[in-house]
Amino acid sequence: MLIEAIDIYQVALPLRQPRSTPCGPFTALETVLVRLRCDGASGWGEASPGNAPLLGPEWASSVFLGVRDWLAPRLLGGEVRTGQELQERLAPFRGNPYAKAALDTAWWDMKAKAEGKPLHQLLGNVRDAIEVGASFDRMETIDQLLEALKRVFDAGYSRVELKFRPGWDVHMLNIVRQDFPAQRIHIDVEGDLTLNHMDMLCRLDDFMLAMIEQPLAPDDLVGHAMVQETIRTPLCLDESITTPQQADMALELHSAKYINLKPGRVGGLTTAVAIHDACQAQGVACWVGAPLQSAIGMRIGLALASKANCTYPADFFVASEVFHEDLGEPLEPVRDSSDGVLRVPLWSTPGIGFEPDLAWVEKHSLAKAHLTHHG
């Protein structure tokens, strides 16, 4: 597949509610969309690291510049037959996984469309509908949280993730478990604890959590192994896993029993599948997280979640509740009448299942670049 043209867009998707951050409130999500074109076929990818370098060293503006100035020219005019070949071409550039993911996921969409297959089929799916879960951060009152939990569990969501923060921690969990004693719940600590909090981590065993996500700092794989050896509750690594090498080290150390796969964080679908396969070989389950992103990124994540070792419900949010308008037809979860579980049916059309409206993309673009091979 000769890469003939690459289009790069930094877009701003207006949010229904401003998102508060340490940098102040954001009223729109900035994300980066990439389109690869090859012999009449095209594929779309997305990288959504956020508006500012808060979750990691990349952010939308840096990804746009990195793709435009360095990564895309490395691919333009070249023959790319596999995802591994794409990754090898980009290997001289250190880090920048989100920028690499934008190109990698676009290549997979283009490949699937060229073969006339839905993306999940090209990835080797074992399911055509994905169980999904909801995520909740700190709210103004615990009653608001309890009402929100009741709504999503009544709707059929398979599990809930609760952000675990100072002042919104064990006491919050205790109240939640009184109202929801048996429902599947896990917490996301986002690396805010240390081994000095071992007493608290041991106490969390009392709450019968599905998992504790990223309790320690991302680079502390040994510390995670020590915690996992001490407590019964499974640990999950998220921010720790940025490369297949990091995943291999975590598996060797037995640092966790779950891995949260995000294509953007690990550099694309090529690397996400490699990590999935390594985890499957070692009996460590995976699941797919979803940062705030457009319909492109959401569909890429759900396609990955169709693989065999993604056994825990994937992250999902209803786009119409987050954005004033998304750039693609939203996927709607459906409650299965046989078991009452909410699942998102996957599509049957090639690739990610839709073509973004270019006029809409252009309208919401903060910056754009078009690279064409003249060979």
Side-chain angles (χ1 to χ4, degrees), residues 67-89:
V67 173
R68 184 193 70 182
D69 295 348
W70 298 104
L71 276 66
R74 185 82 178 178
L75 295 182
L76 191 66
E79 186 80 25
V80 181
R81 291 163 294 189
T82 66
Q84 189 57 43
E85 284 188 8
L86 182 145
Q87 292 288 333
E88 288 169 359
R89 281 179 173 268

Side-chain angles (χ1 to χ4, degrees), residues 323-337:
F323 303 118
H324 284 290
E325 186 181 5
D326 201 355
L327 58 78
E329 182 180 349
L331 293 169
E332 298 291 343
V334 176
R335 192 162 190 176
D336 192 321
S337 59

Side-chain angles (χ1 to χ4, degrees), residues 30-173:
E30 294 183 20
T31 185
V32 177
L33 310 178
V34 168
R35 179 172 66 159
L36 298 186
R37 289 184 276 160
C38 166
D39 192 26
S42 69
W44 286 86
E46 180 173 10
S48 188
N51 298 26
L54 297 172
L55 301 177
E58 290 178 279
W59 69 101
S61 294
S62 76
V63 167
F64 175 82
L65 293 174
V67 173
R68 184 193 70 182
D69 295 348
W70 298 104
L71 276 66
R74 185 82 178 178
L75 295 182
L76 191 66
E79 186 80 25
V80 181
R81 291 163 294 189
T82 66
Q84 189 57 43
E85 284 188 8
L86 182 145
Q87 292 288 333
E88 288 169 359
R89 281 179 173 268
L90 301 181
F93 303 111
R94 295 193 179 188
N96 293 280
Y98 279 94
K100 292 175 180 177
L103 292 160
D104 182 276
T105 53
W107 182 88
W108 278 94
D109 182 40
M110 182 172 68
K111 174 76 168 173
K113 287 172 178 169
E115 295 190 13
K117 296 178 181 178
L119 179 58
H120 46 277
Q121 286 187 12
L122 188 64
L123 292 175
N125 66 308
V126 299
R127 55 184 72 89
D128 294 317
I130 307 301
E131 280 192 50
V132 290
S135 178
F136 293 98
D137 209 332
R138 184 171 187 161
M139 296 186 177
E140 290 187 15
T141 69
I142 194 72
D143 286 339
Q144 287 180 324
L145 176 62
L146 295 175
E147 290 169 8
L149 293 177
K150 185 177 187 306
R151 282 197 303 272
V152 298
F153 282 128
D154 286 349
Y157 280 88
S158 296
R159 56 88 181 158
V160 158
E161 172 189 277
L162 301 176
K163 299 298 183 182
F164 193 80
R165 307 192 184 281
W168 193 255
D169 41 43
V170 174
H171 178 65
M172 175 271 294
L173 268 184

